[in-house]
């Protein structure tokens, strides 16, 4: 017997008005290791968890510099993410060539979303299996967007995607109101704390995460491992009392991630 | 065979200008940019048209002044209308400034010259965006630069020496207009294509205005104007 008649291609509607293939693509984002982003008025920080497939291999890069003023963090199919970041890079270069000025972040995000949308409406295509957190700076300030395989995009103050991202989201939701006025260094600190939430017990070290920043007077940069480790060490000292109450919130956050079954259709997210 | 041998046999391009406008000049002043151009259109050396507007607004922050082939200028305006339309269609609060428009036109001009089909114009772009004054120029082959005062064609020879002497960063609007009128009067006296019907345009952070056409006061009663050949032995 057929489990589901309506999920064999992207363009077929279910009688409930859903597109299952698109929803499956959204699921691929949740399988990938976590990526988080948060922003203040002047800076955006992206961070991600690095997972290697085997003891013998290194991990895949999940954060890419697109241009001096834009960077992305991805969760899901890394291969798709690379293709999309290459597209974004070339859009930025072309805009820079024509107008000698940086491409506004919001416009790049719309172009990216339109590209993803096309894949949800063509029988011979497949949706991208990747979620992108796009961080950027333009005339109107610092921005953080989330682009998903369905072709939807959203602007956020702070967001987390990927596996166990619910724990990070809970952390960010608790703190986001102060982010607007945060310093660059405080954003990085919160990024590391949020990343730690997704690790569930595993120790946070510079080898399991990547951190990047873009901001006023600061082109997009991925912090090197030594810098990140120094920051972790620095925070760990003062953080010993902080994790105590965060640890209390952790199981709750973990549960919320597990009890996500009753969430709205994934396309809405 | 004939058409293959003659390189311009069945050319469809404007390889030389038909109707042309003469110099445009532009200066920065205290609050923004001022530009001046006359309204003549020359068919070869015949001044055939006398109310051609050569100063135009492009988008919210940019002023364009053109000299050279008038139909090519109209083509450029068509490109710019489309550019601005598409920019507005994003409806996201971002808009192209003078720098962006200048660079875009540089690309258009250089691209066309690479196709051996140049747009036969010299353009001047000025504007103010986010408190930044901008003034630049592009030639028909894509040569581009920025400066505090710019001019095209004869203006480079007759107006810019005056501007180099008298231009200041803190010119008031009245002083700026006076300086431009001095330049335009000189061009009127010495450039045979110039006509005494000019427009001056102003662009600031607040917006832009293009003046109604008006005439400059002239004085032709100099002895040398009245009888140019006196003292020129052997001429008639």
């Amino acid at each position: 017997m057929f489990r589901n008649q309506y999920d064999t291609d992207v363009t077929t509607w279910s009688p409930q008005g859903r597109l299952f293939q698109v929803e499956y693509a959204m699921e691929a984002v949740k399988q990938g290791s976590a990526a988080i982003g948060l922003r203040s008025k002047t800076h955006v920080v992206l961070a991600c968890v690095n997972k290697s497939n085997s003891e013998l291999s290194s991990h895949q890069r999940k954060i890419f510099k697109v241009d001096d003023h834009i960077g992305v963090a991805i969760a899901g199919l890394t291969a798709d993410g690379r293709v999309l970041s290459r597209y974004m890079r070339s859009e930025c270069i072309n805009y820079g060539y024509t107008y000698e000025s940086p491409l506004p972040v919001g416009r790049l995000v719309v172009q990216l979303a339109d590209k993803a949308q096309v894949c949800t409406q063509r029988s011979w295509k497949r949706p991208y299996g990747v979620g992108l957190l796009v961080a950027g700076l333009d005339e109107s300030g610092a921005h953080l967007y989330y682009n998903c395989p369905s072709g939807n995009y959203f602007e956020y103050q702070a967001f987390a995607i990927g596996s166990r991202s619910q724990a990070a989201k809970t952390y960010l939701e608790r703190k986001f109101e102060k982010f607007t006025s945060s310093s660059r260094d405080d954003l990085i600190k919160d990024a590391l704390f949020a990343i730690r939430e997704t690790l569930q017990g595993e120790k946070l070290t510079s080898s399991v995460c990547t951190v990047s920043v873009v901001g006023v007077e600061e082109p997009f940069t991925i912090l090197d491992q030594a810098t990140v480790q120094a920051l972790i060490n620095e925070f760990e000292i003062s953080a010993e009392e902080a994790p105590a109450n965060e640890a209390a919130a952790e199981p709750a956050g973990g549960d919320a991630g597990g009890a996500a079954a009753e969430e709205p259709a994934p396309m809405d997210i | 065979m004939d058409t293959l041998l003659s390189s311009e046999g069945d050319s469809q391009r404007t390889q030389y200008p038909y109707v042309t406008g003469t110099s445009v000049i532009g200066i920065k002043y205290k609050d923004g940019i001022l530009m001046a151009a006359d309204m003549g259109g020359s068919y070869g050396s015949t001044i055939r048209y006398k109310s051609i507007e050569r100063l135009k607004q492009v988008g919210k922050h940019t002023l364009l002044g053109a000299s050279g082939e008038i139909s090519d200028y109209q083509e450029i305006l068509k490109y710019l209308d489309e550019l601005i339309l598409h920019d507005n269609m994003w409806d996201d609060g971002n808009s192209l400034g003078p720098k962006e428009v200048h660079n875009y036109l540089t690309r258009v001009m250089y691209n066309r010259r690479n196709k051996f089909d140049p747009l036969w114009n010299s353009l001047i772009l000025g504007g103010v965006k986010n408190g930044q004054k901008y003034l630049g120029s592009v030639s028909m082959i894509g040569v581009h630069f920025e400066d505090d005062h710019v001019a095209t064609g004869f203006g480079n020879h007759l107006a810019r020496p005056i501007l180099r002497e008298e231009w200041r960063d803190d010119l008031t609007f009245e002083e700026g207009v006076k300086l431009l009128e001095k330049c335009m009067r000189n061009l009127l006296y010495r450039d045979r294509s110039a006509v005494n019907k000019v427009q001056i345009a102003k662009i600031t952070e607040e917006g832009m205005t293009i003046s109604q056409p008006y005439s400059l006061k002239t004085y032709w009663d100099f002895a040398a104007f009245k009888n140019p050949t006196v003292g020129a032995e052997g001429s008639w």
Side-chain angles (χ1 to χ4, degrees):
Chain A
M1 293 302 123
F2 299 113
R3 201 179 59 87
N4 190 343
Q5 288 179 264
Y6 304 105
D7 70 351
T8 51
D9 67 72
V10 254
T11 56
T12 302
W13 290 102
S14 84
Q16 287 78 31
R18 300 166 63 171
L19 293 168
F20 284 103
Q21 284 292 329
V22 174
E23 291 182 18
Y24 298 160
M26 303 288 292
E27 289 303 313
V29 179
K30 296 185 188 167
Q31 311 276 335
S33 56
I36 65 126
L38 61 164
R39 67 145 214 230
S40 69
K41 268 206 187 86
T42 54
H43 288 80
V44 197
V45 173
L46 292 178
C48 68
V49 178
N50 296 324
K51 283 242 184 67
S52 53
N53 284 323
S54 112
E55 291 284 302
L56 297 171
S57 77
S58 64
H59 62 82
Q60 283 180 300
R61 274 162 57 90
K62 283 166 57 74
I63 294 185
F64 301 98
K65 178 173 178 150
V66 171
D67 201 345
D68 276 344
H69 67 299
I70 296 179
V72 287
I74 61 171
L77 300 185
T78 320
D80 286 10
R82 279 201 327 273
V83 168
L84 289 177
S85 29
R86 187 180 58 196
Y87 167 77
M88 293 165 85
R89 282 175 179 167
S90 87
E91 287 303 307
C92 283
I93 287 171
N94 288 337
Y95 191 93
Y97 175 72
T98 311
Y99 303 107
E100 216 167 81
S101 68
L103 174 58
V105 193
R107 294 198 179 177
L108 179 62
V109 163
V110 173
Q111 285 181 273
L112 188 65
D114 289 352
K115 197 174 160 65
Q117 192 280 336
V118 170
C119 298
T120 68
Q121 220 176 8
R122 300 276 184 277
S123 61
W124 62 93
K125 292 193 170 186
R126 97 172 147 74
Y128 290 100
V130 71
L132 300 97
L133 289 172
V134 183
L137 191 75
D138 59 28
E139 261 178 42
S140 53
H143 299 283
L144 173 67
Y145 289 94
Y146 169 52
N147 274 74
C148 49
S150 62
N152 281 315
Y153 65 96
F154 307 91
E155 186 165 13
Y156 284 98
Q157 180 69 246
F159 198 49
I161 56 173
S163 65
R164 275 178 274 155
S165 60
Q166 186 55 49
K169 261 186 258 179
T170 309
Y171 175 86
L172 294 168
E173 276 162 15
R174 210 166 61 234
K175 295 238 176 174
F176 80 98
E177 271 156 328
K178 73 178 180 69
F179 291 162
T180 315
S181 51
S182 278
S183 69
R184 170 203 125 102
D185 293 343
D186 284 341
L187 283 186
I188 295 176
K189 187 172 169 177
D190 280 314
L192 285 167
F193 280 138
I195 280 292
R196 191 175 56 180
E197 297 293 312
T198 71
L199 293 175
Q200 278 198 327
E202 195 187 328
K203 191 172 159 52
L204 176 67
T205 62
S206 59
S207 57
V208 297
C209 67
T210 305
V211 182
S212 61
V213 206
V214 61
V216 174
E217 307 279 284
E218 184 177 14
F220 185 87
T221 32
I222 298 174
L223 305 186
D224 61 61
Q225 205 178 329
T227 313
V228 176
Q229 191 57 55
L231 288 166
I232 292 172
N233 294 341
E234 185 188 326
F235 298 150
E236 216 70 64
I237 304 161
S238 61
E240 283 311 326
E241 86 278 8
N245 54 31
E246 260 136 40
E250 217 166 288
D255 278 353
E262 269 311 299
E263 277 182 303
M267 268 200 295
D268 300 337
I269 297 169
Chain B
M1 202 57 191
D2 261 358
T3 49
L4 284 175
L5 287 174
S6 64
S7 59
E8 291 182 287
D10 54 356
S11 169
Q12 290 285 304
R13 312 181 192 113
T14 315
Q15 298 287 17
Y16 41 86
Y18 276 87
V19 179
T20 57
T22 184
S23 331
V24 198
I25 48 185
I27 58 170
K28 287 186 186 174
Y29 80 107
K30 190 158 67 73
D31 306 317
I33 304 293
L34 292 172
M35 266 188 209
D38 73 27
M39 302 187 77
S42 302
Y43 180 70
S45 50
T46 306
I47 301 175
R48 175 69 181 74
Y49 302 98
K50 39 189 184 180
S51 47
I52 292 175
E53 291 180 4
R54 298 193 287 125
L55 302 176
K56 279 268 159 61
Q57 177 169 8
V58 179
K60 236 196 310 192
H61 318 279
T62 313
L63 189 58
L64 170 68
S67 57
E69 229 289 333
I70 297 301
S71 69
D72 283 358
Y73 171 52
Q74 289 165 344
E75 173 105 348
I76 288 169
L77 289 179
K78 213 172 72 184
Y79 293 153
L80 289 172
D81 277 349
E82 194 175 333
L83 180 79
I84 296 303
L85 176 71
H86 282 109
D87 190 49
N88 290 336
M89 279 165 66
W90 281 98
D91 193 24
D92 61 355
N94 292 301
S95 57
L96 297 169
K99 178 184 147 199
E100 286 76 28
V101 176
H102 185 200
N103 205 249
Y104 168 78
L105 283 176
T106 302
R107 295 305 167 207
V108 171
M109 299 303 265
Y110 183 62
N111 182 252
R112 288 292 292 263
R113 91 105 205 223
N114 282 347
K115 291 177 177 153
F116 288 86
D117 185 17
L119 293 163
W120 215 282
N121 301 99
S122 287
L123 306 171
I124 282 177
L125 281 127
V128 188
K129 195 184 174 191
N130 303 328
Q132 265 319 93
K133 280 179 264 185
Y134 187 95
L135 184 61
S137 126
V138 208
S139 79
M140 61 181 281
I141 53 173
V143 176
H144 59 290
F145 54 87
E146 276 179 63
D147 214 332
D148 295 325
H149 45 79
V150 289
T152 66
F154 248 97
N156 273 315
H157 303 98
L158 299 176
R160 290 204 67 198
I162 299 172
L163 294 171
R164 280 187 210 108
E165 288 294 318
E166 301 185 20
W167 180 85
R168 281 179 293 112
D169 199 13
D170 58 349
L171 287 172
T172 63
F173 172 67
E174 287 74 19
E175 288 171 326
V177 170
K178 229 171 142 186
L179 182 54
L180 283 181
E181 286 179 347
K182 181 175 181 179
C183 293
M184 292 308 282
R185 190 175 293 109
N186 262 270
L187 283 160
L188 178 62
Y189 283 146
R190 318 230 81 116
D191 173 3
R192 64 161 168 77
S193 311
V195 298
N196 196 3
K197 187 175 177 186
V198 301
Q199 283 180 301
I200 288 193
K202 169 180 94 157
I203 184 161
T204 63
E205 194 84 73
E206 274 72 53
M208 65 167 285
T209 45
I210 302 177
S211 78
Q212 286 303 114
Y214 68 99
S215 296
L216 299 166
K217 289 243 159 34
T218 52
Y219 181 77
W220 296 96
D221 286 348
F222 296 112
F225 276 154
K226 279 181 156 171
N227 196 348
T229 54
V230 162
E233 203 72 43
S235 66
W236 48 271

